[in-house]
């Protein structure tokens, strides 16, 4: 079903898919591999259509579209194909002595039929990435793309039924009435990406049927610039994280807490980074996106009144353009400091000491992400030990396609975790994103990203879409029993492989790996700068 249904009664649709799953057709590894291969083929064959749709909806250029949507999905599909059969294998577990002689194992069975409600800021990745997990788990799914990105939604609705099994997957187009009707049906799993107001509605609807769900939400993520920070590196990485996709990223730095003695030079470096990235007139830059619609444009323009515009501030409603903007002298009770900004506006506040900024962060709902720029490792440790956040990164700006998911349940009155209902045992470790800044100030090389974080991230989605069956039947192994609401840091199940010549494991191994990669990158940079370097290595 590739288009909007003529009736809002979706119960029969869910029932048809559920019958197909119960027939056992989706269980074999061969079926799952065929669907994953078909999805990858669709992303390659129809890449031009997706590029055009993303440009229409968000003015996203091809490089960014590949980075966050098109080629990202093909890479994720390749990863799922490479590890699918390993994920499907039952896992041996020990049985208690009272049950001897016996053997136990945990099997991963499909949940059934899921509902995937996509969002508009990354309309391909955040709609089809959960589908990869659903397929890998042997499930059927109904996909509801966001109506706020209509061009992309139309491409998904046109091509997905052409490539995938129509008995297992359907696409429903529409707005609030269609989404409301879908939520009224009984599903075996719901995956929702969006804002907290709609998430409350989704969670209420799921509670009526006790449906497990994943809520991938946003929040206000503070960024700390300490006196010891490399200001050029910090400014460039914060600029990339804040103004990529015109700031419409849930993991983007929402505001900056800069120490008083470095505020002015930091603002100068930040303005220089914007000039380098987008030119003197960002409106003419092919690398700068647009606000998704007039509703969000008007909301963002209203936030500009919450402080003094240090630079930027220009906007054009006809073009849905708002320039990269920095606000200073921001009131703490201003709307720009109360709600998630989700746009190209960055408030910069002054702080005088580490205890003050810790109190400032802890007095507010637990943030989705926390970004720290400081060379003083004692300060970094003090901040990380004294604050609570879903994820934390040191010397890194967020990468929406690689940032680890939240690793805890709700604390205090903070936003709902990005992925609710994930067993603690399957959550990744606190991201080893404490990478040291390179001397050139260039964005961090992808080589420095811990592959284990990305791999665990893929594995998480697979685990969410499967049921843990305790074969010994001694007791039910539920998601709730596996979760630990109070934990912020979860131990890694297995440490990274040591590099040649070293035997370190755990954090020591990761630090050693980071140092080796940094030395290799610096060495390559020196070779490229040498006048005797081959022409193929020169920049």
């Amino acid at each position: 079903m590739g288009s909007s249904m003529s009736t809002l009664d979706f119960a029969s649709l869910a029932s048809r898919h559920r019958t197909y799953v119960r027939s056992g057709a989706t269980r074999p590894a061969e079926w799952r591999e065929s669907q994953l291969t078909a999805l990858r083929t669709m992303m390659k064959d129809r890449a031009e259509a997706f590029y055009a749709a993303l440009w229409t909806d968000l003015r996203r250029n091809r490089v960014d579209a590949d980075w966050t949507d098109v080629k990202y999905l093909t890479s994720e599909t390749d990863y799922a194909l490479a590890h699918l059969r390993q994920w499907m294998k039952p896992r041996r577990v020990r049985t208690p002595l009272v049950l001897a002689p016996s053997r136990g194992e945990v099997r991963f069975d499909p949940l059934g039929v899921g509902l995937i409600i996509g969002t508009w800021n990354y309309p391909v990745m955040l709609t089809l990435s959960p589908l990869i997990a659903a397929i890998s788990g042997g499930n059927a799914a109904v996909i509801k793309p966001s109506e706020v990105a209509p061009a992309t939604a139309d491409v998904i609705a046109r091509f997905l039924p052409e490539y995938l099994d129509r008995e297992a997957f359907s696409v429903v187009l529409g707005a609030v009435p269609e989404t409301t009707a879908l939520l009224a049906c009984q599903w075996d799993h719901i995956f929702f990406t969006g804002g907290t107001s709609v998430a409350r509605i989704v969670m209420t609807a799921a509670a009526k049927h006790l449906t497990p769900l994943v809520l991938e939400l946003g929040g206000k993520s503070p960024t700390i610039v300490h006196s010891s920070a490399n200001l050029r590196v910090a400014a460039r990485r914060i600029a990339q994280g804040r103004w990529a996709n015109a700031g419409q990223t849930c993991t983007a730095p929402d505001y900056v807490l800069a120490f008083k003695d470095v505020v002015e030079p930091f603002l100068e470096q930040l303005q220089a980074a914007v000039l380098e990235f987008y030119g003197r007139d960002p409106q003419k830059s092919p690398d700068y996106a647009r606000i998704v619609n007039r509703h969000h444009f008007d909301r963002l323009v209203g936030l500009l009144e919450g402080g003094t515009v240090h630079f930027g501030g220009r906007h054009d409603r006809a073009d849905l353009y708002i320039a990269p903007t920095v606000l200073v002298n921001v009131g703490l009770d201003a709307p720009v400091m109360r709600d998630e900004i989700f746009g190209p506006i960055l408030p910069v506040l002054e702080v005088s000491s580490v205890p003050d900024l810790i109190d400032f962060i802890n007095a507010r709902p637990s943030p989705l992400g926390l970004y720290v720029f400081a060379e003083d490792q004692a300060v970094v440790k003090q901040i990380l030990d004294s604050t609570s956040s879903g994820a934390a990164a040191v010397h890194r700006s967020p990468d929406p396609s690689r940032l680890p998911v939240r690793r805890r349940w709700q604390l205090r009155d903070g936003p709902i975790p990005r992925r609710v209902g994930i067993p603690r045992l399957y959550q990744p470790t606190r991201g080893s994103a404490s990478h040291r800044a390179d001397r050139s100030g260039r964005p961090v090389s992808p080589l420095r990203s811990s592959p284990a974080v990305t791999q665990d991230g893929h594995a998480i989605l697979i685990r969410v879409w499967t049921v843990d069956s305790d074969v010994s039947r001694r007791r039910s192994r539920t998601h709730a029993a596996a979760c630990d609401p109070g934990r912020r840091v979860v131990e890694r199940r297995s440490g990274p492989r040591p590099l040649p010549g070293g035997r370190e494991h755990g954090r020591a191994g990761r630090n050693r790996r980071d140092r080796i990669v940094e030395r290799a990158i610096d060495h390559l940079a020196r070779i490229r700068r040498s006048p005797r370097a081959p022409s193929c290595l020169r920049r």
Side-chain angles (χ1 to χ4, degrees), residues 41-120:
T41 303
M42 182 191 76
M43 297 307 301
K44 291 183 176 181
D45 292 350
R46 307 298 181 178
E48 293 298 328
F50 281 106
Y51 292 143
L54 290 168
W55 180 267
T56 300
D57 287 333
L58 294 159
R59 202 173 182 270
R60 182 170 297 163
N61 61 55
R62 293 172 69 100
V63 174
D64 288 344
D66 275 337
W67 174 48
T68 60
D69 289 288
V70 180
K71 289 188 177 179
Y72 174 88
L73 262 298
T74 59
S75 298
E76 187 167 6
T77 306
D78 289 338
Y79 186 89
L81 283 168
H83 297 83
L84 176 64
R85 292 181 181 263
Q86 183 64 33
W87 290 336
M88 293 178 62
K89 289 181 179 179
R91 190 184 66 211
R92 290 288 302 273
V93 293
R94 293 182 178 181
T95 53
L97 182 62
V98 69
L99 296 180
S102 66
R103 64 183 297 270
E105 65 181 18
V106 176
R107 302 180 63 89
F108 303 102
D109 301 322
L111 278 175
V113 182
L115 173 63
I116 299 173
I117 304 176
T119 190
W120 54 265

Side-chain angles (χ1 to χ4, degrees), residues 501-522:
R503 295 181 177 274
E504 295 89 349
H505 290 274
R507 178 167 299 186
R510 294 194 295 273
N511 291 340
R512 175 179 171 81
R513 177 180 59 203
D514 291 342
R515 291 195 298 271
I516 291 176
V517 172
E518 285 182 2
R519 287 198 295 270
I521 292 174
D522 290 342

Side-chain angles (χ1 to χ4, degrees), residues 42-361:
M42 182 191 76
M43 297 307 301
K44 291 183 176 181
D45 292 350
R46 307 298 181 178
E48 293 298 328
F50 281 106
Y51 292 143
L54 290 168
W55 180 267
T56 300
D57 287 333
L58 294 159
R59 202 173 182 270
R60 182 170 297 163
N61 61 55
R62 293 172 69 100
V63 174
D64 288 344
D66 275 337
W67 174 48
T68 60
D69 289 288
V70 180
K71 289 188 177 179
Y72 174 88
L73 262 298
T74 59
S75 298
E76 187 167 6
T77 306
D78 289 338
Y79 186 89
L81 283 168
H83 297 83
L84 176 64
R85 292 181 181 263
Q86 183 64 33
W87 290 336
M88 293 178 62
K89 289 181 179 179
R91 190 184 66 211
R92 290 288 302 273
V93 293
R94 293 182 178 181
T95 53
L97 182 62
V98 69
L99 296 180
S102 66
R103 64 183 297 270
E105 65 181 18
V106 176
R107 302 180 63 89
F108 303 102
D109 301 322
L111 278 175
V113 182
L115 173 63
I116 299 173
I117 304 176
T119 190
W120 54 265
N121 60 330
Y122 294 94
V124 179
M125 176 180 69
L126 296 178
T127 303
L128 298 186
S129 182
L131 179 61
I132 294 174
I135 295 172
S136 300
N139 300 277
V142 173
I143 299 96
K144 169 59 180 67
S146 173
E147 71 279 6
V148 182
T152 307
D154 181 67
V155 171
I156 293 174
R158 279 192 289 126
F159 294 130
L160 201 66
E162 180 181 332
Y163 286 84
L164 298 188
D165 187 345
R166 297 193 181 195
E167 294 299 317
F169 306 104
S170 299
V171 180
V172 174
L173 298 181
V176 175
E178 288 76 14
T179 305
T180 303
L182 285 168
L183 290 173
C185 302
Q186 183 170 0
W187 306 95
D188 299 302
H189 189 76
I190 297 176
F191 195 110
F192 169 80
T193 306
T196 55
S197 58
V198 181
R200 293 186 179 95
I201 299 173
V202 174
M203 203 166 191
T204 301
K208 294 180 180 179
H209 302 289
L210 297 179
T211 303
L213 78 163
V214 168
L215 302 179
E216 186 168 1
L217 312 178
K220 294 185 74 67
S221 300
T223 302
I224 298 167
V225 179
H226 187 252
S227 302
S228 64
N230 184 323
L231 298 184
R232 182 172 182 270
V233 170
R236 289 169 62 85
R237 293 178 181 171
I238 292 171
Q240 185 273 335
R242 171 73 273 184
W243 290 300
N245 197 32
Q248 299 167 118
T249 303
C250 62
T251 57
D254 200 81
Y255 60 93
V256 174
L257 299 174
F259 278 68
K260 289 184 177 180
D261 55 337
V262 296
V263 167
E264 292 302 325
F266 168 72
L267 291 174
E268 293 175 2
Q269 292 287 350
L270 195 60
Q271 189 167 5
V274 172
L275 180 64
E276 179 184 353
F277 291 170
Y278 305 112
R280 294 188 178 277
D281 187 358
Q283 190 170 7
K284 297 179 180 179
S285 171
D287 301 321
Y288 191 69
R290 295 295 185 267
I291 307 305
V292 67
N293 58 27
R294 286 185 171 84
H295 169 73
H296 286 282
F297 177 90
D298 294 338
R299 176 185 63 84
L300 290 167
V301 170
L303 297 180
L304 294 174
E305 301 176 358
T308 303
V309 176
H310 181 77
F311 67 80
R314 291 182 55 244
H315 48 85
D316 181 352
R317 194 171 191 269
D319 193 26
L320 295 177
Y321 164 78
I322 299 178
T325 302
V326 167
L327 297 181
V328 296
N329 301 323
V330 179
L332 299 183
D333 57 346
V336 74
M337 290 302 298
R338 287 201 302 266
D339 301 319
E340 183 181 11
I341 297 173
F342 220 68
I345 302 170
L346 182 64
V348 176
L349 291 75
E350 296 183 3
V351 292
S352 56
S353 66
V354 175
D356 287 346
L357 73 86
I358 290 175
D359 292 341
F360 184 91
I361 293 172

